[in-house]
Amino acid sequence: FTIFHDEYHSLLLGRIFYGIATALLHTTFDAWMSSEHMKNAFPDEWLMQTYQNVGRKTVIVAVGSGVVAEVCASYAGLAAPFLASMGCSLMGMITISNSWPKNVHDKPCSYESLAECSDDGIMGTLFTALTSFLTALSELMSSSSGRTALHVVIVQAFFETSMYVTMFMWTPTLNASTIEYMGIGVPPPYGIIFSILMAALMLGSHIFQVAFSSMEPETVCFRMCCVAACAILVLALCGTSAHWVLITALILFQFCVGIYYPVIGHLRGHHIPFEQRSAAGDLSKTILAIFVVLILLNFASMASFVFLCCAFMLGGSVVSLYAADFQIDDDDDDSC
């Protein structure tokens, strides 16, 4: 509802709620699915198949939603797509509340610790986050398997930082490029472009399934990061002058994102021990949050420099993959 209020603080409140909802979106659904999967003792490969099906159908819905958003914006104004999304969220809420069984952790919540944390204020919260970060880092560095997991964490943090920053920057960059290329102030059809980017993501996911049968996922990830780094470097070097090159580079990067999701799931599952996955997740999200905030708060108005930072981070992912000592089974190695 905050999008209908033309007032800064209302819009800022809406973005805060959006950030909370996004964090829940990327954690609660996966946690519920994994817990239900283990509780029902389903085969391990079913979980991977479920995530692949969810990924494909999510992209299909995203392609359609881009077209619907463009039509709504054309006929009913820029706020209409947000109103349509509210209806979708309401239907999702009703479906989940009526059909999903409750998933309660066996370990009771420590309300005393929550109260102590809330009493510490902002500095106490930051200190707790820093302590959690250092604990996770020391836990991963304590064994050879943990050091291998650390390489996966670096790849995930650097790639997702580039992905989220690009997600934030592509609309103002394309808008400036359209004005420079066409000489008019009319914004580009964001809904249609979004649908094209989602179609590229779906194509990347399908390509991974084909590549998975002929090469190791570690190799696929290495080559994907190389291509993604080149695509972002093109965005940094071309700026807003080469309009169609800019769009092509964005599509190519989104294609790499489509490969990234299934391949990083494989790397996490095979190279991060179960008992270290929580620490690895905390470390990855902490690095991600730090770099995204630092880049966007300080350099959001310098698009070329932002994309250059992302290209360097993707280069860091390539170096981390090259330096990682992944243990690959001999049978899998012979199949390649």
Side-chain angles (χ1 to χ4, degrees):
F1 287 103
T2 58
I3 195 67
F4 297 101
H5 297 275
D6 190 14
E7 201 268 329
Y8 175 76
H9 292 93
S10 297
L11 295 174
L12 181 61
L13 180 63
R15 301 312 296 175
I16 292 174
F17 282 126
Y18 173 79
I20 296 172
T22 302
L24 294 174
L25 174 66
H26 290 291
T27 53
T28 53
F29 286 95
D30 287 348
W32 184 89
M33 174 59 67
S34 298
S35 179
E36 287 295 309
H37 179 88
M38 290 186 290
K39 185 171 69 176
N40 290 280
F42 292 140
D44 292 341
E45 58 270 16
W46 285 14
L47 188 61
M48 185 66 176
Q49 292 171 4
T50 300
Y51 283 129
Q52 289 177 349
N53 290 331
V54 169
R56 285 195 295 267
K57 292 175 182 177
T58 300
V59 172
I60 292 173
V61 172
V63 171
S65 66
V67 177
V68 172
E70 185 65 29
V71 173
C72 291
S74 300
Y75 287 95
L78 296 178
F82 296 94
L83 187 62
S85 68
M86 289 168 53
C88 295
S89 299
L90 182 61
M91 288 189 292
M93 182 183 67
I94 294 173
T95 302
I96 291 172
S97 61
N98 291 332
S99 61
W100 286 25
K102 289 186 178 181
N103 192 321
V104 182
H105 197 274
D106 295 333
K107 184 178 179 180
C109 179
S110 175
Y111 295 102
E112 292 80 4
S113 62
L114 290 177
E116 291 175 2
C117 182
S118 63
D119 291 338
D120 290 339
I122 296 178
M123 294 305 297
T125 304
L126 291 176
F127 179 76
T128 303
L130 179 60
T131 303
S132 176
F133 174 82
L134 294 177
T135 302
L137 182 61
S138 62
E139 184 177 340
L140 290 176
M141 292 295 293
S142 61
S143 63
S144 58
S145 61
R147 287 189 288 273
T148 302
L150 186 59
H151 286 283
V152 178
V153 168
I154 292 173
V155 172
Q156 181 179 359
F158 283 4
F159 190 95
E160 291 188 8
T161 297
S162 303
M163 181 179 68
Y164 284 119
V165 170
T166 303
M167 187 186 305
F168 180 85
M169 294 296 299
W170 76 269
T171 47
T173 303
L174 271 185
N175 187 53
S177 178
T178 301
I179 294 175
E180 184 174 344
Y181 178 74
M182 296 184 177
I184 56 177
V186 179
Y190 291 122
I192 302 301
I193 295 173
F194 177 79
S195 297
I196 294 173
L197 295 178
M198 291 299 101
L201 189 149
M202 182 170 58
L203 179 61
S205 179
H206 283 292
I207 291 297
F208 169 76
Q209 296 177 19
V210 175
F212 185 76
S213 61
S214 60
M215 66 179 67
E216 295 293 340
E218 294 80 7
T219 304
V220 175
C221 189
F222 179 83
R223 296 179 181 180
M224 177 271 297
C225 287
C226 290
V227 175
C230 292
I232 295 297
L233 187 60
V234 168
L235 292 175
L237 297 179
C238 290
T240 59
S241 57
H243 183 71
W244 293 108
V245 174
L246 184 72
I247 294 177
T248 303
L250 284 172
I251 293 173
L252 181 60
F253 178 73
Q254 201 67 17
F255 171 80
C256 294
V257 172
I259 299 176
Y260 166 79
Y261 279 117
V263 78
I264 199 64
H266 175 90
L267 294 183
R268 286 200 306 261
H270 284 73
H271 300 295
I272 301 180
F274 182 79
E275 62 274 7
Q276 294 178 339
R277 288 182 187 175
S278 177
D282 291 342
L283 187 59
S284 174
K285 297 304 181 184
T286 303
I287 297 173
L288 168 66
I290 290 173
F291 278 110
V292 168
V293 170
L294 286 178
I295 291 174
L296 293 182
L297 282 183
N298 293 283
F299 309 107
S301 60
M302 305 166 60
S304 295
F305 183 78
V306 168
F307 287 129
L308 188 62
C309 291
C310 292
F312 275 113
M313 299 193 75
L314 289 169
S317 296
V318 173
V319 173
S320 182
L321 285 166
Y322 184 81
D325 184 20
F326 290 127
Q327 298 297 323
I328 301 173
D329 296 337
D330 293 336
D331 295 338
D332 295 338
D333 209 19
D334 294 338
S335 66
C336 294

